[in-house]
């Protein structure tokens, strides 16, 4: 059973870079699609980007200029970096697995971590 | 990018009522659409995948239909534990993903 755990600072200042790590346990990560999503307080879900080890990451076009996702298979970790943050980036950030090719849906999720952008 | 509209944005219904939510895609997405349930303070959970397939362990009162650009999600007999926000989610072959804005379901 896979378990995902997001970690990182809960508070980031405007214009700085938000950095989060997702640590996956219960299985190797190199054969799967790993995804970051976010949910501002009281609002809906937004896809940030995904990574598969053998390919380039894919990003939401609205965030593409500010986001970077990387994968470290040796540590079983997926990382998110979002630069030049504003208060609009305040959200719960989730790490999830896109279950392709077995399940074409997000089948494993972390519990999420709240990141507030504030001075 | 694929855009999704979802309606209604919220609804209130009685226990036992039939509840229907619709999602419309901005382009033909075949059946590449999933439905998730998110209870307050919880992580989203898939209920329906590929438009009409019931995920493992999900009660049969939940169902989905549609293809192309128009999709429907139904709860046939609303239960108190179904109070949640429901999201449609589409994907393409890259894959890239888009969520609908959500429908909040309450008990009247």
């Amino acid at each position: 059973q896979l378990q995902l755990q997001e970690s990182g600072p809960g508070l980031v200042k405007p214009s700085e870079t938000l950095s989060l790590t997702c640590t996956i346990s219960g299985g190797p990560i190199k054969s799967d699609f790993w995804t970051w999503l976010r949910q501002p307080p009281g609002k809906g879900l937004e896809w940030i980007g995904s990574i598969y080890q053998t390919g380039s990451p894919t990003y939401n076009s609205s965030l593409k200029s500010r986001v970077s996702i990387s994968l470290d298979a040796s540590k079983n970790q997926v990382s998110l970096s979002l630069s030049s943050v504003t208060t609009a980036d305040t959200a719960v950030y989730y790490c999830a697995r896109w279950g392709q090719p077995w399940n074409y849906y997000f089948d494993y999720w972390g519990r999420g971590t709240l990141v507030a952008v504030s001075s | 990018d694929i855009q999704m509209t979802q309606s209604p944005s919220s609804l209130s219904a009685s226990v036992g009522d039939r509840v229907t939510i619709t999602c419309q895609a901005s382009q033909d997405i075949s059946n590449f659409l999933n439905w998730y349930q998110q209870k307050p303070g919880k992580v989203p959970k898939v209920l329906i995948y590929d438009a009409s397939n019931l995920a493992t362990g999900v009660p049969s009162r939940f169902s989905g239909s549609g293809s192309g650009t128009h999709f429907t999600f139904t709860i046939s007999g609303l239960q108190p534990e179904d109070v949640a926000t429901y999201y449609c989610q589409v994907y393409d072959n890259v894959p890239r993903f888009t969520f609908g804005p959500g429908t909040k379901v309450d008990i009247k």
Side-chain angles (χ1 to χ4, degrees):
Chain A
Q1 183 82 351
L2 286 176
Q3 291 189 329
L4 288 66
Q5 178 69 58
E6 303 90 349
S7 59
L11 181 64
V12 180
K13 288 183 167 53
S15 79
E16 295 188 344
T17 295
L18 179 160
S19 296
L20 296 174
T21 298
C22 175
T23 302
I24 298 106
S25 58
I29 70 171
K30 61 182 180 180
S31 300
D32 294 325
F33 283 90
W34 301 99
T35 295
W36 285 97
L37 308 104
R38 68 181 184 178
Q39 185 169 35
K43 296 188 177 180
L45 295 159
E46 181 180 35
W47 171 65
I48 300 172
S50 299
I51 189 166
Y52 182 72
Q53 192 182 31
T54 61
S56 299
T58 58
Y59 301 122
N60 187 320
S61 58
S62 68
L63 298 169
K64 190 172 185 177
S65 63
R66 300 194 291 129
V67 68
S68 177
I69 294 175
S70 61
L71 184 153
D72 188 336
S74 67
K75 296 181 179 179
N76 259 32
Q77 290 180 335
V78 180
S79 297
L80 169 70
S81 178
L82 182 66
S83 64
S84 304
V85 297
T86 70
T87 55
D89 295 309
T90 293
V92 174
Y93 285 76
Y94 294 103
C95 173
R97 188 183 82 161
W98 177 248
Q100 183 172 337
W102 306 277
N103 303 316
Y104 284 77
Y105 51 83
F106 295 110
D107 55 2
Y108 289 95
W109 295 70
R111 296 177 66 178
T113 186
L114 176 62
V115 179
V117 178
S118 175
S119 54
Chain B
D1 294 0
I2 303 171
Q3 305 300 317
M4 299 299 297
T5 57
Q6 186 175 341
S7 61
S9 58
S10 65
L11 66 89
S12 187
S14 299
V15 172
D17 280 356
R18 183 182 183 90
V19 168
T20 299
I21 299 168
T22 63
C23 261
Q24 183 120 8
S26 59
Q27 63 191 70
D28 190 331
I29 57 168
S30 184
N31 67 333
F32 297 167
L33 181 128
N34 303 319
W35 291 95
Y36 295 83
Q37 174 193 64
Q38 186 179 31
K39 295 184 177 180
K42 300 296 186 182
V43 169
K45 169 190 169 184
V46 68
L47 300 181
I48 303 291
Y49 65 95
D50 293 344
S52 60
N53 296 300
L54 196 65
T56 302
V58 175
S60 59
R61 64 181 181 273
F62 297 101
S63 64
S65 64
S67 68
T69 62
H70 188 80
F71 300 85
T72 300
F73 172 80
T74 300
I75 308 173
S76 58
L78 184 68
Q79 298 300 306
E81 61 265 32
D82 300 335
V83 169
T85 300
Y86 294 84
Y87 296 94
C88 58
Q89 172 254 310
V90 302
Y91 61 96
D92 63 18
N93 60 359
V94 175
R96 291 170 299 202
F97 309 93
T98 304
F99 287 85
T103 297
K104 186 174 182 182
V105 175
D106 282 327
I107 299 291
K108 193 181 295 182

